[in-house]
Amino acid sequence: MKLKSKLNALIQDAFNQANIDQTPLSVSEATKPEFGDYQFNGAMALAKSLGKNPRAIATDIINALDFSSLIRKAEIAGPGFINLWLNPLVLADFCEEARGDARLGIALRTTPQTVVVDYSGPNMAKQMHVGHLRSTIIGDSLANLLDFLGDTVIRQNHIGDWGTQFGMLVAYLEEQQSDGDVSLKDLEVFYRDAKKRFDVDANFADKAREYVVKIQGGDTHCLGLWQQFIDRSLGHCEEVYTKLNVKLSREDVRAESFYNDDLSQVVSDLDKATLLSESKGAKCVFLENDEIPVIVQKGDGGYLYATTDLSALRFRAKNLEADRICYVVDARQSHHFKQVFKVAKNAHFVGTDVFLEHIGFGTMMDKAGKPFKTRDGGTVKLVDLLDEAVNKAHESIRNKEDYSLEALEIKAKIIGIGAVKYADLSMNRESNYIFSWEKMLSLEGNTSVYMLYAYARIQSILRKHNAKIEGKMRISDALEQHLSVTLLRFEDILQRASVDASPHQITSYLYELASLFMRFYEQNPILKEGVDEETKMSRLALADLTAKTIKQGLDILGIEVVNQL
Ligand code: ARG
């Protein structure tokens, strides 16, 4: 239900009626309950062009406004604000409609886009670390959101599986395998050991360098080893994806190596487009107002990160037919993306109408405000962090005797992983944020635990009722009015979040909704004795729609709920 666009349409009708030949600004949510449910603040902006006092314009608009359905009352305030009160009968109908619909009344886009979402992209030579957490979960929630709204979403996992370090790793793998099976369980250790060998043993170092050339030259034996290495490293990533409840699969992997064969073509096409210069033996593209050139081929013939991204951009625009390409990557790569986007457009690798977007995010910090590290200064492995989250959640519910061990385990996973994801997604993605176990596992404040609690609370009410919810919904006081208007704002929130690619708009909304529900429930008992049947049913319906909205919102964020906490 798009409450906002319905109201905007009514204001537009009033403009037409009042012969105001302008497009009205959008209505906005009322900032205070005494200002009604929505506000229209567009009269002031018209004063100049209409040569009229804004209060007089507001009066004209109100006189032309249709009060027969959604809008119940309108009042002028201050210099010309129009405060709007909505009709509770209509709100009740809309809520009923939403509750009866699997999509909560939210329409699919009428003009869906094909959107490529590039996220996660771990490096296969290393273990996934906390830096990949943000890309993985922000990207996944964005993909879920666009998918829910009806876009055709193509997830792309641009894994780093190519480069000189693989010569060393593959040579070491071969050596280890000749001594028995290698687990590769801890890539960090494996990498360190391989590097040690490389540094102390000149023969090994020579072999590693030879293997780089062989892999790149397509030598079957070396490529086979490389493939084995990548498969197993990717397997570890997939364990993390499963733990994280993230939807990336093998089909979404389109690795850096996929673009290898196209890289020389990229360079020659840049040359054909007369964009190429030579600088210190390297081939590069100079951009306007940018001192740093984009190097696409080194003097020794090697290609770079940017070359692969240019090829990927072309592939996504031409082969995947993307209308919008979103890169969910650390904000520190913003210059890289600014550059490759420009080069890709200048070279016509990507049409002018394709929307290219770097969805950057800040760094996860520890309590002292430093980048997150282990106690001994190492990078924190994502797997360890997630396991710790589940353990902590387990501790917090362990004393609940009425659950079986198995039930406890399932709940601990949902609570622990949900807490980590929600804490991350609820931050404005562009800022750095401080990782705090206490905060994210708290029952108070904007946390997943609070959301899960609100959801479980409603489920417990519904279980106690244990029958169909019948009869018509009625909005009978200011709190119910506020709750229903908030419930009906969900679609507007999702639309906004999809444009801004900002999941935190969804968490803020869910928090507002859940808090409002708690207030409503305190004041408006549902199953208590003395509550008449009609009121009970109506409140049950409101509670049910609240729970469904919370569940849908969390589902988009990739967070599961529990029926009982
Ligand atoms: N592998 C890169 C990293 O770990 C991320 C890849 C992002 N995607 C891209 N198309 N460049 O930083």
Side-chain angles (χ1 to χ4, degrees), residues 4-5 7-8 11 23-29 38-42 492:
K4 228 182 206 165
S5 48
L7 288 169
N8 285 333
I11 299 275
T23 312
L25 293 177
S26 171
V27 295
S28 52
E29 288 88 35
Y38 273 82
Q39 286 167 237
F40 176 70
N41 301 336
D492 287 319

Side-chain angles (χ1 to χ4, degrees), residues 371-433:
F372 210 71
K373 290 266 153 67
T374 56
R375 242 170 243 152
D376 52 11
T379 41
V380 178
K381 279 183 229 140
L382 201 40
V383 172
D384 296 345
L385 183 97
L386 298 179
D387 289 346
E388 192 173 344
V390 175
N391 285 340
K392 283 193 192 291
H394 206 278
E395 265 165 41
S396 71
I397 54 171
R398 201 171 37 196
N399 50 5
K400 306 219 164 166
E401 290 125 14
D402 36 339
Y403 295 141
S404 67
L405 270 180
E406 201 194 342
L408 275 179
E409 222 155 84
I410 294 172
K411 278 184 212 291
K413 267 191 202 151
I414 294 179
I415 297 169
I417 300 295
V420 171
K421 292 178 84 170
Y422 192 96
D424 194 302
L425 296 170
S426 62
M427 296 295 145
N428 184 340
R429 66 174 159 76
E430 277 162 295
S431 35
N432 296 342
Y433 82 97

Side-chain angles (χ1 to χ4, degrees), residues 58-186:
T59 309
D60 290 348
I61 297 171
I62 290 180
N63 285 339
L65 207 53
D66 173 7
F67 289 100
S68 70
S69 62
L70 182 55
I71 300 175
R72 177 173 67 84
K73 186 174 96 174
E75 267 176 16
I76 305 177
F81 298 110
I82 301 178
N83 296 337
L84 301 166
W85 281 261
L86 305 187
N87 182 346
L89 293 173
V90 179
L91 291 176
D93 282 349
F94 286 172
C95 283
E96 275 297 356
E97 213 179 296
R99 196 172 80 84
D101 177 31
R103 294 184 50 81
L104 303 176
I106 297 174
L108 292 167
R109 287 202 211 285
T110 42
T111 47
Q113 289 189 309
T114 298
V115 188
V116 166
V117 185
D118 176 315
Y119 68 103
S120 196
N123 187 340
M124 292 297 108
K126 298 265 179 80
Q127 201 95 19
M128 266 179 104
H129 57 82
V130 297
H132 292 112
L133 175 72
R134 304 211 71 193
S135 171
T136 305
I137 63 186
I138 296 170
D140 200 57
S141 65
L142 178 64
N144 290 342
L145 172 61
L146 298 175
D147 188 39
F148 179 74
L149 293 176
D151 283 330
T152 303
V153 176
I154 305 177
R155 294 162 198 255
Q156 291 285 277
N157 193 358
H158 192 84
I159 61 170
D161 67 340
W162 207 248
T164 46
Q165 72 268 51
F166 290 101
M168 172 184 92
L169 292 167
V170 161
Y172 191 62
L173 178 68
E174 184 181 42
E175 208 175 78
Q176 295 288 301
Q177 274 176 344
S178 63
D179 295 339
D181 193 33
V182 197
S183 84
L184 270 190
K185 188 136 188 61
D186 195 326

Side-chain angles (χ1 to χ4, degrees), residues 237-283:
C237 296
E238 281 163 345
E239 266 171 47
V240 173
Y241 296 153
T242 306
K243 271 190 213 265
L244 271 176
N245 186 29
V246 150
K247 293 193 186 68
L248 278 174
S249 74
R250 287 262 162 152
E251 280 90 81
D252 305 317
V253 171
R254 205 164 255 126
E256 288 185 1
S257 62
F258 173 83
Y259 302 99
N260 280 343
D261 294 344
D262 184 44
L263 301 181
S264 60
Q265 192 66 47
V266 165
V267 174
S268 68
D269 287 341
L270 290 173
D271 198 15
K272 261 188 233 147
T274 65
L275 293 169
L276 218 53
S277 318
E278 214 156 296
S279 169
K280 297 180 197 138
K283 295 193 169 136

